[in-house]
Amino acid sequence: MSTNNISGSIPVGIGELKSLYIVDLSDNKLNGSIPSEIEGAISLSELKLQKNFLSGRIPSQIEKCSSLTS
């Protein structure tokens, strides 16, 4: 879903997607922070968020996504 002018924040429900492997939301208009609930996306191996308007720190809970490589 990259380069689609998606705006708003990343929904906290992303953590409920246990079989989510790749998230590419790069080059959109997302704002806010990465929700700490992302820790629930335990199968996540790729997370691409560059070229957005995100702020804040990367949540420490993201380390629970042990398959994350990029």
Side-chain angles (χ1 to χ4, degrees):
M1 295 188 66
S2 68
T3 317
N4 279 300
N5 288 317
I6 298 170
S7 61
S9 59
I10 300 171
V12 296
I14 195 168
E16 297 174 18
L17 303 172
K18 308 291 184 207
S19 297
L20 186 65
Y21 294 100
I22 298 172
V23 173
D24 186 355
L25 293 169
S26 60
D27 200 14
N28 280 293
K29 296 179 180 177
L30 296 173
N31 58 40
S33 59
I34 301 170
S36 60
E37 289 83 358
I38 199 160
E39 70 180 309
I42 56 175
S43 298
L44 192 61
S45 64
E46 290 185 36
L47 178 62
K48 297 179 181 183
L49 298 172
Q50 66 270 20
K51 295 186 181 179
N52 279 291
F53 301 99
L54 297 171
S55 60
R57 296 178 179 259
I58 297 173
S60 61
Q61 293 88 339
I62 204 163
E63 68 185 30
K64 294 182 181 174
C65 299
S66 59
S67 298
L68 195 59
T69 60
S70 62

